[in-house]
């Protein structure tokens, strides 16, 4: 709870350079770990040392030493990436506007995922327990994959816009967003 990362950009201008900040005292003091990079939209760590950050123009950055050094990984994506999730040091997902990629080797290579739906989708969060059972939350729908490979499917939708997803275990997941009747919604599984 003392090691915290924050990321974004210096201004609200889309072309402004990105930055990754780090605190080792619960957020009381911050230091810059990476700057003059693409705008960063999310950071995740699978362990104390291994972490990933995703951002605009398909940018993925990786650290193997707790953020002391960040190197760019080739995602193959051209659109902005908003979400990244790793369930161990090797297996993870990244996605955003109309693109999702998955890795099984710590991000050395990323494989494009395919969603059987033609409508616009915008991924904001992921959850997975293994390389087969995966969930993606988007602003138009929820998507799942429950077999090996890169095929994803939309779920039955009770929520029109998903803003975030949280989880405490594989059995308990929460979604927040807008409901189909234009109100807000919190869903739990």
């Amino acid at each position: 709870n003392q090691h915290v990362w924050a990321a974004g950009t210096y201004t609200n201008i889309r072309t402004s350079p990105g930055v990754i900040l780090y605190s080792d005292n619960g957020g009381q003091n911050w230091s810059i770990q990476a700057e003059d990079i693409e705008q960063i939209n999310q950071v995740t760590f699978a362990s104390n040392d291994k972490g990933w950050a995703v951002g605009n123009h398909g940018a993925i950055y990786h650290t193997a030493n707790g953020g002391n050094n960040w190197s760019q990984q080739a995602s193959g994506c051209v659109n902005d990436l908003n979400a990244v999730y790793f369930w161990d040091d090797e297996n993870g997902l990244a996605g955003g506007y109309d693109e999702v990629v998955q890795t099984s080797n710590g991000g050395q290579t990323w494989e494009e995922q395919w969603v059987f739906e033609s409508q616009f989708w915008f991924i904001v969060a992921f959850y997975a327990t293994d390389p087969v059972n995966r969930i993606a939350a988007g602003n138009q729908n929820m998507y799942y994959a429950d077999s090996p490979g890169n095929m994803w499917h939309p779920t039955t939708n009770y929520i029109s816009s998903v803003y975030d997803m949280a989880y405490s275990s594989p059995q308990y997941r929460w979604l927040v967003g807008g409901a189909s009747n234009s109100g807000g919604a919190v869903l739990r599984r």
Side-chain angles (χ1 to χ4, degrees), residues 9-17 39 56:
T9 185
Y10 287 109
T11 69
N12 62 356
I13 300 170
R14 179 167 158 58
T15 57
S16 180
Q39 180 176 330
N56 289 359

Side-chain angles (χ1 to χ4, degrees), residues 157-173:
N157 194 10
Y158 298 103
I159 193 165
S160 62
S161 298
V162 178
Y163 303 130
D164 206 355
M165 178 170 47
Y167 36 84
S168 59
S169 70
Q171 292 80 24
Y172 295 104
R173 291 185 294 274

Side-chain angles (χ1 to χ4, degrees), residues 55-97:
N56 289 359
H57 306 108
I60 298 179
Y61 298 93
H62 170 63
T63 180
N65 58 12
N68 292 319
N69 302 98
W70 291 85
S71 59
Q72 192 161 11
Q73 294 181 327
S75 69
C77 298
V78 295
N79 296 319
D80 297 348
L81 298 175
N82 303 310
V84 59
Y85 180 81
F86 273 74
W87 55 94
D88 61 36
D89 285 353
E90 298 296 319
N91 293 284
L93 295 158
Y97 174 75

Side-chain angles (χ1 to χ4, degrees), residues 2-185:
Q2 294 297 303
H3 300 273
V4 184
W5 284 266
T9 185
Y10 287 109
T11 69
N12 62 356
I13 300 170
R14 179 167 158 58
T15 57
S16 180
V19 63
I20 299 174
L21 304 174
Y22 170 69
S23 173
D24 62 2
N25 58 11
Q28 294 179 37
N29 303 97
W30 294 88
S31 60
I32 296 173
Q33 283 194 328
E35 59 185 333
D36 293 325
I37 57 178
E38 288 288 343
Q39 180 176 330
I40 300 300
N41 298 319
Q42 192 172 62
V43 176
T44 190
F45 275 75
S47 65
N48 290 336
D49 292 325
K50 294 188 177 183
W52 290 263
V54 297
N56 289 359
H57 306 108
I60 298 179
Y61 298 93
H62 170 63
T63 180
N65 58 12
N68 292 319
N69 302 98
W70 291 85
S71 59
Q72 192 161 11
Q73 294 181 327
S75 69
C77 298
V78 295
N79 296 319
D80 297 348
L81 298 175
N82 303 310
V84 59
Y85 180 81
F86 273 74
W87 55 94
D88 61 36
D89 285 353
E90 298 296 319
N91 293 284
L93 295 158
Y97 174 75
D98 205 26
E99 291 181 295
V100 172
V101 290
Q102 182 169 333
T103 183
S104 60
N105 56 16
Q108 293 176 39
T109 58
W110 293 86
E111 178 184 4
E112 183 179 1
Q113 303 292 286
W114 190 74
V115 175
F116 185 68
E117 185 171 281
S118 60
Q119 76 176 22
F120 165 85
W121 57 306
F122 188 82
I123 301 302
V124 297
F126 288 107
Y127 180 75
T129 56
D130 55 59
V132 173
N133 297 293
R134 299 154 286 162
I135 299 170
N139 76 341
Q140 297 278 326
N141 210 336
M142 293 289 299
Y143 304 89
Y144 71 94
D146 59 2
S147 60
N150 62 4
M151 178 69 78
W152 291 66
H153 306 279
T155 65
T156 302
N157 194 10
Y158 298 103
I159 193 165
S160 62
S161 298
V162 178
Y163 303 130
D164 206 355
M165 178 170 47
Y167 36 84
S168 59
S169 70
Q171 292 80 24
Y172 295 104
R173 291 185 294 274
W174 290 266
L175 295 172
V176 293
S180 55
N181 61 3
S182 299

